[in-house]
Amino acid sequence: MGILYWGGYLQFAQAMLFAIEEINKSTDLLPGISLGYKIYDDCGSVARSIGVTLALVNGSEIVFAPSKTTCTRPAYVQAIIGATSSSTTIAVATVIGPFFVPVISHFATCACLSDKTKYPSFLRTIPSDYYQSRALAHLVKHFGWTWVGAIRTNNDYGNNGMATFTETAQQLGICLEYSVSFFRTDPYAKIQRILDIIKASTSKVIVAFLARADLNVLLHEFSYHNLSGYQWVGSESWIFDSQTAALDIHHILDGAIGLSIPKAHVTGLREFILDEKPLNSSNNELFTEFWETLFSCKFKESSADIQRECTGHEDMTGVQNSFIDMSLMPIFNNIYKGVYAVAHAFHNILSCNNTCNKNLQLDPFMVLQHIRKIYFTTKEGDEVYFNENGDPAAKYDIINWQQKENGVVEFVTVGLYDTSLAAEKQLNLQSKSLIWVPVSVCSEKCPPGTRKVLQKGRPVCCYDCIRCAEGEINNITDSITCVKCLPEFWSNERRDACIKKEAVFLSYEEIMGALLTAASLFGACMTIGVIQIFFKYRKTPIVRANNSELSFLLLFSLILCFLCSLTFIGQPSDWSCMLRHVAFGITFVLCISCLLGKTMVVLMAFRATRPGSNVQKWFGQTQQRLCVTAFTLMQVIICITWLTTSPPFPFKNFKEIKDKITLECALGSAVGFWAVLGYIGLLAILCFIFAFLARKLPDNFNEAKFITFSMLIFCAVWITFIPAYVSSPGKFSVAVEIFAILASSFGLLICIFIPKCYIILMKPEKNTKKRIMGKKVPQSL
């Protein structure tokens, strides 16, 4: 049975030899059958790999170094373990794929190799970079690093891995400030360009999807330019590599964090590697040159410069060399599992129980089919199987570089990423033991009360924080929108919560409401005082003239006009809204009806003095009462119609004042409201016309002039009221209406009754029938 190893690390070859020897000694696995092997060093060269592969499939054998033993039969390879790098593995898998020879890699992680249409015979014991790239993106997101730079190896491994990382990062809201590629053979100008880009950047996190050899080249230049102060996030190729840590003498990579293959232990492997002696090894030609370099000796002295000869039994204790570094044990374990996977496939094909069917001819396709189906547990308890893409389950340790007191870097496991768990549980971190640069963002997080607005021409991670508009809030960090408060609520000062709006209305407690109340009560008291004066002097000519009954009714209606303004003050309710407009409409019609009756009495009184006139009998007291009643009843009918069809009602006005609720009375039917006002206006105009017609009556009888003047004031007040009422916001419109009521009421009271009170109280000598009738009184000598 033949296994071919393809790689460049001597320790990796030793791991394969250990597994083969362990299998060959086993009585349970492939009893009676020994596995053979061939080892090739690809030297990291794709061209060399393709050449060896073509020679292999053509049935010829390429020998790079002379062997001390001769082969008795042609090489017959059933499986290939390797190669180490993704690019080399892609070349091998592409060439060997049509022949269905299984290729099992321990370190080729490129996600592209999971494509079975291109690489039908490829399998691996290390997870695909598809999972690693996504895990790195989630790791970056976990720490809140939304503004990062990226460096990748310019080959299949780096380019494919970074492509998946970039795609996942964009989905998670992470932006790449820059993404540059590098290969170890690039000219120095390329390295200088990368240095310039990093120095000019504002991000403090660098995601390095680099092969170890490429990072080591860059690390030398980074150290020379003292490129420190960055948080490095690394892929599994270098994050747990002790050689890279040893090269970092200027601590450029201190605090690096990344993903590594989970720690593993293969019992006996370390001792096997350290106890290997070139003289007793079955493949001692592989180790001779290494041994001579390690101990500065020669097995056969060929130069005078060599002072001692190698014995092959030198003690490795105390020797510091990468060969005895066991930090790559997880990779050794992957090789170990790959060899055992092939062995288990052979075991199943040959139907091995106590013995195996050695006469059965093996075929690579048959071997491949059985390898895909294998499921076994290693002696260390690791489960080995492959999914439909030939990949194992993806599980990673999260490694953090932490420097000890002696300056040596320790790879501390600070978490685990396991794709077999639920999405929210896949990333598990112990943040307390971490060391990292804490912040790397293009823009600071937008606090509650603000929203993000993207900066023109820049990535989505670069934004400005704009305060939420009035009436809108945002109570979460980094939100792109603000939420509008409900109509009854308003945003607080910080714009992070909605608070209930203050309800405003014209109340008795505020200054304006108190002043209007006082003016209303003062007007009512003043009117009552006039009533008392008129009642006391009711038998005097000036009171009895022009129908004292209408005068008292007019004074009573004025009291109601003053008091009806109080219904406009206070919180609106269903009853108050209906009462205020009805009371206002009816009381003012009653008032103007009385004035209209008085002007008509004045006109009729003087027309009645003409010979043959019988006007008096058509406009007596009964007719005056009927006139006042009819005019008032008409307004009552208008008001009842308004109240029964669409009455006024309490209304919460959210638009008048943005941050407050204005409690007011909606008109219900605007037609009803303007019909009430229009009817009052019509009577006022009629009253004014009659008073105007009576302006040429005798001077001493000045009732008509007073009514005319009072109607001018009344009309002026209510004409100016209309635009003032319409343009006044909220409670001020109510105040305007109250002011119009009071102003017109005071105008009527003062213009009509105060002059009479003045004569009654201050000029009693003028309060005679002769003076009232306009007759001259002879002056005493």
Side-chain angles (χ1 to χ4, degrees), residues 506 568-569 580 725 730-739:
L506 188 61
F568 289 82
I569 304 175
R580 65 175 58 174
Y725 178 80
K731 64 181 180 181
F732 296 103
S733 63
V734 180
V736 167
E737 193 167 358
I738 295 173
F739 180 80

Side-chain angles (χ1 to χ4, degrees), residues 116-158:
K116 295 298 103 179
T117 59
K118 293 183 179 179
Y119 314 104
S121 65
F122 176 78
L123 306 100
R124 53 185 157 198
T125 53
I126 188 171
S128 165
D129 278 338
Y130 171 79
Y131 301 103
Q132 180 184 197
S133 300
R134 290 174 61 83
L136 286 175
H138 283 281
L139 186 65
V140 170
K141 179 65 176 179
H142 176 82
F143 294 117
W145 299 325
T146 58
W147 187 238
V148 301
I151 307 176
R152 67 186 186 277
T153 294
N154 192 13
N155 60 13
D156 298 289
Y157 166 75

Side-chain angles (χ1 to χ4, degrees), residues 470-485:
E470 290 183 338
E472 296 181 348
I473 66 156
N474 168 39
N475 55 9
I476 60 175
T477 302
D478 260 0
S479 175
I480 60 174
T481 58
C482 293
V483 180
K484 196 166 186 175
C485 293

